[in-house]
Amino acid sequence: MRESSYKVLPGPEGYLPPAAATMGVMLPDPGQAIMEGESVDRDTALRAAALKLIEARNPVFFPGPLILWDWKPGVAEKATALKELAEAVGAKMIPMPDYRPKYPMINPAIEVNPNHPNLTIWHNKIDVCLFIGVHCHYANLALKIIRGGTDCYTIAVCAEAGHEEAMISLRDAGLCELQRLRELVIELKGGKNQ
Amino acid sequence: MKTGMLKISPGFEEIMPPEYRELVDNGPYGKDYGIGDLGSYKELLEEHPLCAGCGLALSLRLTLASLPMPEDTVIVGSTGCSALAFPQVALHNIHSLFGNQNAVASGLKRALKLRFPEKEKDVVVIAGDGATADIGLDMVMQSWLRREKITTIMLDNEAYANTGGQESGMSMQGAVLNMAPTGKKFPKLSLPEIAHTCGCAYVAAASPAKPKQLAKVVRRAILVAREIGPTYVQLYSPCPTNYKFNPKETVSLIKQREKDGLYQSKEYISQEAQAFLESIEVKK
Amino acid sequence: MIDQKIVDPDYLLFEAPRTSEYITGSEAVREAIKRANVDMAIAYPITPQSESMHLVGDIYAQGYVKEYFRGENEFAVMSSVAGASMAGVRVFTATGGPGTMRAFEVFPTWAGARLPIVCAFMTRGINSPLTIQPDTIEMAYLLETGILMLHAENSQDLHDMLLMAFMVAEKTDVHIPVGVFADGFFVTHTRDKVNMLPEDCKLPSYDPYTSPVPVMDMENVPVRQMRDPFVMKSNFISYAAHASWQQEIDAAAERSRKYLNHYLGGLIDVEHEDADIFIVTSGTAVSQSREAIATAREEGINVGLVKIKSIRPFPGEEIRALASRSKGIIVPEFNRVGWLAKEICSVIDEPRKVVRGPRVFGGMTMPPELILAEIRRINQ
Ligand SMILES: Cc1ncc(C[n+]2csc(CCOP(=O)(O)OP(=O)(O)O)c2C)c(N)n1
Ligand code: SF4
Ligand SMILES: [Mg+2]
């Protein structure tokens, strides 16, 4: 199999960047994560994500429908953990409530949409964002459009196989990863909670 | 929809956009709302891009307000003007292709029956006259012949509106339209009669000029499809943009047509459907 | 119906004890579907496919498949299959030749809508004039639909590939349709030894909630969801959304390589890796080539075989590497247009090394002598 030299980095990469997967970037194996196009172990990725979040000028979380709605057992706990993480980071939350194209009706101050996520990034001057609870197809669309048009650093906390379109992506991530990320944020901030 | 499924996760109430908060606090799921309640609750249809005075938009709004069980209704649409409104509808809905809506709905309905044998899932097709009576007619009729338990609703604007006003099988004889530059040469198709012959247990023609009637037939059609077999509803929904009349006059135009004997409401009910409707309508 | 237990797919495909039987390709379809835990199958007749869906109907009657019906035409069948898949069930169908062409508008929408449908294509010639004979030309048209394409050499491949197809198609990061192709009559109607799996085992069922897009059942979020909304305003934002969507389908196909490598043991099989000349082909042309190669090697010519099992994704890197150290590549095909030769030429550094043929079509079998003649010619 071909080794990829393609790096998944903050953009703007240009008009229409290629899908990272077609450039040879592979999703991580179970237990691993992916960082800027390369497989790394989960803890390295979690630590790097925590660092990116605390160093950010304006970190924003983009929770999607799968976590915004308490639609099946286990979601409420994750949602609470996500809120606690956002508080530890000092990050704002801007929801992605659904996936219908909303341009030009979108209010980028209060929502983000997978068909034009760049509008929300630009409007709010977001330098690091975190995706969670977004269906994988729409997450990949949005993450790639963000790489194409903005310089935002993207982190994906994915409950399935992960996202090569994100600069850092976890896979099979759940409550435990959110809690670990919060611990790391607190630790890296020097032990001070919030 | 499982009861309580549509609940905002703890701590996310303030960031959820208002249109969703309203849907949770005051939406139609699990309630027995009808068109009489319009204006007092959060409707399924958000802002949509259809033209001012669009008859089809009016029919669609009334149809959505008449669904007996929106929380367990999946809609199949087709290409055409209404497809532009469907992304704004707070129900799972499918746009596949132009004309294949009844075939998609057949697969969907049977699959939902497999996955949820204990639960009713209403599958409702809502498509234009071109989609239903021309390009998709074979699949529409075949779904009736196969006795698929789905409701087919035609939004009849008597033209291919979305592609700029061409003649359809539902246009009136003599109508001058694109692709019928010297007037249509053959009469409007009588699809309600065909539906009846093809075995639909319930067939109706109505219009948004009489909202209560429209609501009643849509509701009956869906309930009969659930229990007995295929049903068909044809909604006369004129298009001001392509027929070039004043958008304010959509409803009066329907009334005029009715007066002139060029449009009439209809209802065919099979014996089995009649008995069923009597049993539930008396109970109520 | 025999009581079946759900087993791990790797156990079923790689470890479970197999018993060998002489069956036709159509029967191999029945045996695979019987163990594939399929919820629903929709049928429409066309030679040489019909028998396979008759047999799937038989196992529906026995209870192995939960729902089955005959649709009204292939366009409708492929649409019904899409509706069923969007509702979250595992669904199977099969067609071929004119049936494939009749349904064509639907195929690209399957991949676009992220539907993990498995469809068998029993390839046959396309009109006019009418023919029912084997020919792989329909594959040329399907290459760019986003459907993953596996090409069976024989009934064993057909059987195994069908089972693998469901597992690959349903991976969250793939979740696009898989077509399993078998050359009509040559595979469907001839008896061959097939190593069959235990009858009391079946694949795990499909979990629609791991899908990368919402399932249309009103039981998951978001409820304001259309599959799939138009993104067609005339501005850059709409173009970028539509383009990125298509790129994501390409990405999904790329991601399937990992899983296909696992299940198929590589997208290609190579015999005589150190050969000077390679026959590179797929489907039953592989068997014909094997005969020619045996004779050529007896004559002292160092010729090898590359059997391509996956046409989409295409094993471009693998073929490129082999081509770079060979002196010639021969691509026998069962169609008029030579689509496989074009594919091969597009991935290797020296397309002039490629002999685009021999080709037979219209139902003829490929005489190994035709291939042998090319081998001898290149060897001089
Ligand atoms: C296969 C195919 N043929 C033609 C079209 C073009 N087309 C799109 S919408 C439409 C007209 C729709 O007419 P109707 O069903 O009456 O709906 P309306 O727009 O009038 O509501 C046509 C012809 C298409 N999308 N697909
Ligand atoms: S063109 Fe006609 S049918 Fe279409 S939205 Fe406008 S008024 Fe309605
Ligand atoms: Mg119309």
Side-chain angles (χ1 to χ4, degrees):
Chain A
M1 193 128 322
R2 180 161 48 129
E3 276 296 304
S4 160
S5 55
Y6 187 75
K7 290 266 170 280
V8 179
L9 295 171
E13 186 164 329
Y15 189 73
L16 199 61
T22 58
M23 299 304 286
V25 175
M26 305 247 292
L27 287 176
D29 288 331
Q32 300 283 105
I34 189 167
M35 239 178 98
E36 301 180 0
E38 268 170 58
S39 224
V40 296
D41 64 61
R42 196 191 70 125
D43 289 329
T44 310
L46 278 168
R47 194 166 279 275
L51 202 61
K52 280 285 171 195
L53 287 169
I54 60 175
E55 283 173 352
R57 218 175 350 91
N58 183 24
V60 172
F61 290 8
F62 293 148
L66 295 168
I67 193 158
L68 286 169
W69 297 102
D70 182 7
W71 69 287
K72 66 169 188 184
V75 179
E77 293 79 354
K78 265 202 251 179
T80 306
L82 184 69
K83 260 213 110 174
E84 286 167 2
L85 172 63
E87 278 158 17
V89 171
K92 203 174 144 187
M93 300 241 216
I94 298 184
M96 184 185 285
D98 59 37
Y99 309 129
R100 69 192 142 136
K102 284 197 91 176
Y103 179 83
M105 294 188 301
I106 188 148
N107 177 353
I110 63 154
E111 62 179 313
V112 58
N113 183 285
N115 301 285
H116 35 72
N118 43 347
L119 301 183
T120 299
I121 307 247
W122 286 328
H123 179 91
N124 300 286
K125 300 189 170 60
I126 300 167
D127 59 343
V128 177
C129 69
L130 181 144
F131 275 67
I132 184 166
V134 178
H135 281 85
C136 292
H137 175 80
Y138 294 99
N140 275 328
L141 287 199
L143 288 162
K144 201 179 78 65
I145 293 172
I146 293 173
R147 283 203 294 125
T150 82
D151 62 359
C152 186
Y153 199 92
T154 54
I155 300 169
V157 180
C158 177
E160 302 288 341
H163 297 281
E164 37 341 52
E165 294 297 336
M167 279 132 229
I168 299 177
S169 172
L170 302 171
R171 60 165 296 161
D172 306 313
L175 187 60
C176 160
E177 282 71 16
L178 290 173
Q179 287 165 342
R180 178 76 189 127
L181 203 48
R182 180 169 173 273
E183 283 165 22
L184 286 167
V185 163
I186 292 166
E187 179 195 313
L188 289 168
K189 273 190 166 178
K192 301 188 296 294
N193 196 349
Q194 274 145 59
Chain B
M1 190 189 283
K2 287 177 284 287
T3 22
M5 185 190 92
L6 212 65
K7 184 164 74 212
I8 299 172
S9 290
F12 288 84
E13 294 84 357
E14 330 84 82
I15 63 160
M16 198 66 124
E19 76 227 39
Y20 274 117
R21 270 180 281 156
E22 287 167 33
L23 205 54
V24 175
D25 296 341
N26 195 23
Y29 309 117
K31 314 258 174 64
D32 199 15
Y33 289 153
I35 54 159
D37 302 297
L38 278 172
S40 71
Y41 71 94
K42 174 68 182 173
E43 290 176 48
L44 295 170
L45 180 60
E46 271 295 317
E47 291 175 43
H48 61 76
L50 305 185
C51 307
C54 172
L56 176 160
L58 198 53
S59 290
L60 184 59
R61 182 176 177 217
L62 294 170
T63 300
L64 292 171
S66 311
L67 299 175
M69 199 169 58
E71 65 279 10
D72 283 300
T73 301
V74 182
I75 293 183
V76 181
S78 192
T79 322
C81 283
S82 60
L84 300 175
F86 272 114
Q88 312 299 331
V89 174
L91 295 176
H92 284 169
N93 68 92
I94 298 173
H95 169 264
S96 176
L97 282 167
F98 185 40
N100 68 349
Q101 60 280 355
N102 282 60
V104 171
S106 302
L108 180 86
K109 175 72 192 189
R110 290 177 187 235
L112 291 174
K113 193 79 214 160
L114 281 184
R115 286 189 57 216
F116 306 100
E118 307 299 326
K119 205 166 177 178
E120 289 304 338
K121 292 274 177 190
D122 294 331
V123 171
V124 181
V125 174
I126 304 180
D129 48 307
T132 309
D134 288 344
I135 196 168
L137 183 61
D138 63 340
M139 287 165 276
V140 168
M141 286 173 56
Q142 294 279 356
S143 73
W144 295 340
L145 298 170
R146 278 198 307 266
R147 302 296 190 267
E148 303 286 349
K149 290 173 127 183
I150 57 183
T151 298
T152 304
I153 300 180
M154 178 207 281
L155 302 173
D156 178 16
N157 54 15
E158 302 190 329
Y160 293 98
N162 196 238
T163 38
Q166 294 86 7
E167 171 199 288
S168 88
M170 298 299 285
S171 307
M172 300 288 275
Q173 184 157 13
V176 176
L177 289 152
N178 286 327
M179 299 189 181
T182 58
K184 193 186 177 207
K185 304 286 187 243
F186 61 100
K188 184 179 173 91
L189 179 70
S190 300
L191 201 51
E193 286 69 27
I194 293 174
H196 182 58
T197 312
C198 287
C200 282
Y202 179 87
V203 177
S207 84
K210 290 184 179 156
K212 277 199 192 125
Q213 189 189 48
L214 184 153
K216 186 170 107 188
V217 304
V218 165
R219 199 182 166 82
R220 284 182 157 187
I222 294 171
L223 294 174
V224 170
R226 201 187 280 171
E227 293 298 322
I228 298 167
T231 60
Y232 175 60
V233 174
Q234 183 169 306
L235 299 176
Y236 177 44
S237 314
C239 162
T241 305
N242 285 296
Y243 275 90
K244 301 187 178 58
F245 60 86
N246 187 333
K248 290 201 196 86
E249 287 163 7
T250 307
V251 170
S252 50
L253 182 115
I254 302 173
K255 289 184 172 155
Q256 188 58 47
R257 275 273 289 266
E258 188 159 17
K259 233 188 244 161
D260 298 344
L262 297 173
Y263 155 75
Q264 60 186 123
S265 57
K266 294 175 183 169
E267 210 176 23
Y268 299 108
I269 314 179
S270 74
Q271 279 181 359
E272 200 185 348
Q274 183 71 46
F276 166 68
L277 287 171
E278 273 164 19
S279 76
I280 53 166
E281 286 173 0
V282 166
K283 254 190 264 161
K284 235 183 118 183
Chain C
M1 183 189 160
I2 292 175
D3 251 356
Q4 290 180 302
K5 58 177 183 291
I6 287 175
V7 296
D8 182 74
D10 277 16
Y11 167 79
L12 187 64
L13 285 159
F14 301 128
E15 292 160 33
R18 298 210 179 206
T19 46
S20 139
E21 271 186 50
Y22 265 94
I23 57 172
T24 65
S26 307
E27 287 164 345
V29 172
R30 175 192 62 205
E31 296 307 316
I33 299 306
K34 196 192 266 185
R35 294 157 178 86
N37 203 351
V38 166
D39 296 302
M40 189 159 161
I42 310 178
Y44 193 80
I46 186 165
T47 307
Q49 171 277 123
S50 307
E51 196 191 3
S52 59
M53 290 307 284
H54 301 170
L55 297 172
V56 171
D58 291 351
I59 56 172
Y60 156 73
Q62 291 162 13
Y64 291 98
V65 173
K66 299 188 197 82
E67 175 68 305
Y68 173 93
F69 69 101
R70 174 199 55 81
E72 56 269 50
N73 61 55
E74 290 85 354
F75 174 71
V77 166
M78 301 310 162
S79 300
S80 296
V81 163
S85 185
M86 284 196 211
V89 300
R90 181 177 290 163
V91 58
F92 175 71
T93 187
T95 187
T100 302
M101 301 312 278
R102 178 64 58 101
F104 216 90
E105 191 191 359
V106 189
F107 292 132
T109 71
W110 281 0
R114 302 299 296 259
L115 305 178
I117 294 162
V118 173
C119 180
F121 293 86
M122 310 313 193
T123 65
R124 105 173 212 196
I126 285 165
N127 307 352
S128 178
L130 182 80
T131 173
I132 58 163
Q133 300 305 334
D135 191 313
T136 61
I137 192 164
E138 67 198 86
M139 296 178 74
Y141 296 91
L142 284 157
L143 287 172
E144 311 307 338
T145 53
I147 297 179
L148 302 181
M149 297 169 68
L150 308 181
H151 200 175
E153 178 191 346
N154 48 35
S155 300
Q156 184 75 60
D157 278 358
L158 180 57
H159 172 271
D160 293 357
M161 282 174 173
L162 281 170
L163 286 161
M164 293 166 187
F166 289 104
M167 293 298 96
V168 175
E170 291 167 7
K171 293 277 187 281
T172 306
D173 50 333
V174 178
H175 225 272
I176 51 177
V178 180
V180 179
F181 294 77
D183 301 356
F185 290 111
F186 296 153
V187 175
T188 53
H189 286 62
T190 53
R191 261 173 216 287
D192 200 358
K193 197 181 84 176
V194 175
N195 295 319
M196 302 219 297
L197 295 164
E199 255 188 312
D200 62 348
C201 291
K202 62 178 174 185
L203 291 175
S205 50
Y206 169 53
D207 175 6
Y209 297 129
T210 61
S211 160
V213 288
V215 186
M216 297 291 95
D217 61 4
M218 284 303 281
E219 297 290 345
N220 68 123
V221 289
V223 287
R224 197 186 300 281
Q225 173 70 27
M226 182 190 211
R227 301 269 301 272
D228 289 305
F230 309 174
V231 212
M232 60 175 198
K233 293 203 171 77
S234 300
N235 57 50
F236 173 68
I237 280 179
S238 302
Y239 307 152
H242 197 274
S244 300
W245 190 298
Q246 293 179 67
Q247 287 177 313
E248 171 59 13
I249 307 306
D250 287 342
E254 277 308 311
R255 295 183 201 115
S256 74
R257 284 181 197 274
K258 178 170 76 182
Y259 304 112
L260 287 170
N261 274 321
H262 171 71
Y263 285 120
L264 292 170
L267 306 189
I268 58 174
D269 282 343
V270 185
E271 291 172 24
H272 312 294
E273 194 118 18
D274 64 342
D276 304 324
I277 301 169
F278 279 109
I279 315 275
V280 184
T281 190
S282 64
T284 56
V286 172
S287 315
Q288 249 75 13
S289 302
R290 239 186 229 112
E291 282 185 42
I293 289 169
T295 315
R297 290 189 72 87
E298 275 170 24
E299 292 173 13
I301 306 174
N302 189 10
V303 56
L305 176 69
V306 179
K307 164 176 168 173
I308 304 181
K309 293 176 280 186
S310 171
I311 306 293
R312 285 286 179 272
F314 195 66
E317 289 297 318
E318 293 89 330
I319 290 173
R320 186 163 163 254
L322 285 166
S324 66
R325 47 190 170 77
S326 78
K327 91 178 178 205
I329 288 177
I330 301 164
V331 188
E333 290 186 62
F334 278 107
N335 65 74
R336 174 180 55 84
V337 300
W339 56 263
L340 184 58
K342 286 183 203 160
E343 285 290 313
I344 292 167
C345 287
S346 74
V347 297
I348 68 174
D349 296 328
E350 296 165 278
R352 265 180 299 172
K353 277 187 186 171
V354 176
V355 177
R356 296 161 173 246
R359 289 179 208 157
V360 293
F361 36 93
M364 273 175 249
T365 48
M366 173 106 49
E369 298 75 42
L370 281 186
I371 304 172
L372 192 57
E374 292 298 341
I375 299 174
R376 289 185 185 134
R377 201 174 56 76
I378 295 190
N379 191 48
Q380 269 151 31

